[in-house]
Amino acid sequence: MTQNRYSRNIACIGAEGQQRLSAASVFVIGCGALGGQVAMLLAGAGVGHIGIADFDTIDISNLQRQLFFAEAEAGESKAGTIADKMRRLNSGIRVDEYCKMIRKEDARAILADYDFIIDATDNPATKYMTDEISALIGRPACIGGVAQWHGQVTTVSGRPDDGTLRFADIFPRPDADPTMLPCEVLGVMGAAASLIASVQAAEALKYITAQGEMLINRLFTIDLATMQCATHSF
C-alpha cells in the first residue's frame, strides 16, 4: 500500500528518496496562503514528521487564496485545522501543531528538532528571526514571500561559516523589497501564492532527497502579471 501510495514520487526520486522523506522532519512557520499549502504538499509527499505553527484564526478574507480552508471553518485555528487535514490526508505521518506565534525565545528549542525549516510568513521580523535561528542551530531554511502577482524564494544553508549568504545579506533592511509588506497592505493573488508555496515545498524535498539544485546563494523571483521569472545568483 505504501509503495502504491508513493508510486509517482518513487518514479521521480527512487525508493531511497522516498525512504529519506519518511525519515525526515520539516517545520513550517505560518499556515496561511504559503504555509498551509506547503504543509499539505509535504504531508502528501510523505515527509514523516511535520511541525506547523500559526497564531491566527481563519477569516473569510483568507479563502480567496487559502483554498485548504472552508467557509464553515471561519474563526477556527489555522494551525489546528491544517493539522487535522494533514492527518486525514496521510495517516502515516506525524504532525505537531503549535497554535501560537513562534518567538525568538522559544524558536531555538522548537526548531532544533527538525531537519529543515520553511518560513511562510508575511512578517519581516519573523523572516529575520528564522534566518538567525537557522544559523544558530545549523538547520537550512527556505524563506518565501508573495505580494500582488509576484513572489520570491531563497534558501539559507544554516551554516554561517560555509561562505554562503544569509537572508539578511540579501535583504539587509526590512524595507529592502516591497514583497516584505503584509498582504493586507499590498494585496495578493492566490495563483502567485500557490506557485511560491510549491517552490518552497520543492526546496525541502530536494534537500531531504539530495536531488536537484537548491536556491542557496540564489533568489528566485516571478511576476505572473508579465510571466517574467529569474534566478538571481549572488
Side-chain angles (χ1 to χ4, degrees):
M1 179 178 177
T2 298
Q3 185 173 358
N4 183 62
R5 180 188 189 105
Y6 300 119
S7 60
R8 272 59 169 183
N9 276 11
I10 293 171
C12 296
I13 61 175
E16 180 182 348
Q18 191 61 48
Q19 290 169 358
R20 289 190 177 200
L21 292 181
S22 179
S25 56
V26 179
F27 197 95
V28 182
I29 306 174
C31 294
L34 296 180
Q37 182 157 315
V38 168
M40 294 298 288
L41 286 168
L42 297 178
V47 174
H49 180 198
I50 305 169
I52 60 174
D54 199 304
F55 68 93
D56 206 0
T57 57
I58 301 163
D59 186 83
I60 289 295
S61 66
N62 300 146
L63 304 184
Q64 155 262 2
R65 62 199 179 281
Q66 299 175 24
L67 311 180
F68 29 82
F69 296 135
E71 291 180 354
E73 295 167 335
E76 297 182 13
S77 161
K78 286 186 177 182
T81 302
I82 284 290
D84 181 61
K85 294 178 187 293
M86 293 165 70
R87 294 183 184 109
R88 285 188 283 130
L89 175 67
N90 192 342
S91 61
I93 64 172
R94 171 185 168 187
V95 180
D96 293 335
E97 73 265 31
Y98 295 80
C99 299
K100 65 176 187 177
M101 179 179 285
I102 298 297
R103 301 184 183 277
K104 188 175 180 178
E105 52 266 28
D106 58 9
R108 186 170 185 173
I110 294 172
L111 300 179
D113 289 335
Y114 294 84
D115 301 320
F116 194 90
I117 306 163
I118 292 179
D119 188 301
T121 69
D122 63 357
N123 182 348
T126 303
K127 295 181 188 299
Y128 286 99
M129 180 203 72
T130 299
D131 184 38
E132 182 179 346
I133 297 300
S134 166
L136 286 173
I137 65 177
R139 301 289 189 277
C142 178
I143 302 174
V146 64
Q148 299 182 342
W149 291 93
H150 55 88
Q152 59 190 25
V153 183
T154 191
T155 297
V156 295
S157 73
R159 300 187 301 275
D161 58 349
D162 67 357
T164 59
L165 296 180
R166 291 173 54 183
F167 182 79
D169 296 320
I170 299 174
F171 298 105
R173 307 184 310 276
D175 61 350
D177 190 276
T179 61
M180 295 179 70
L181 291 174
C183 64
E184 62 263 28
V185 176
L186 293 173
V188 61
M189 298 301 293
S194 294
L195 191 152
I196 294 301
S198 294
V199 175
Q200 289 193 277
E203 286 291 282
L205 299 177
K206 288 187 292 182
Y207 174 77
I208 294 166
T209 61
Q211 298 191 26
E213 185 178 354
M214 299 183 66
L215 289 169
I216 294 172
N217 282 344
R218 300 192 297 164
L219 178 71
F220 171 79
T221 61
I222 187 164
D223 186 338
L224 289 177
T226 61
M227 290 311 296
Q228 298 295 311
C229 67
T231 303
H232 311 270
S233 298
F234 300 95

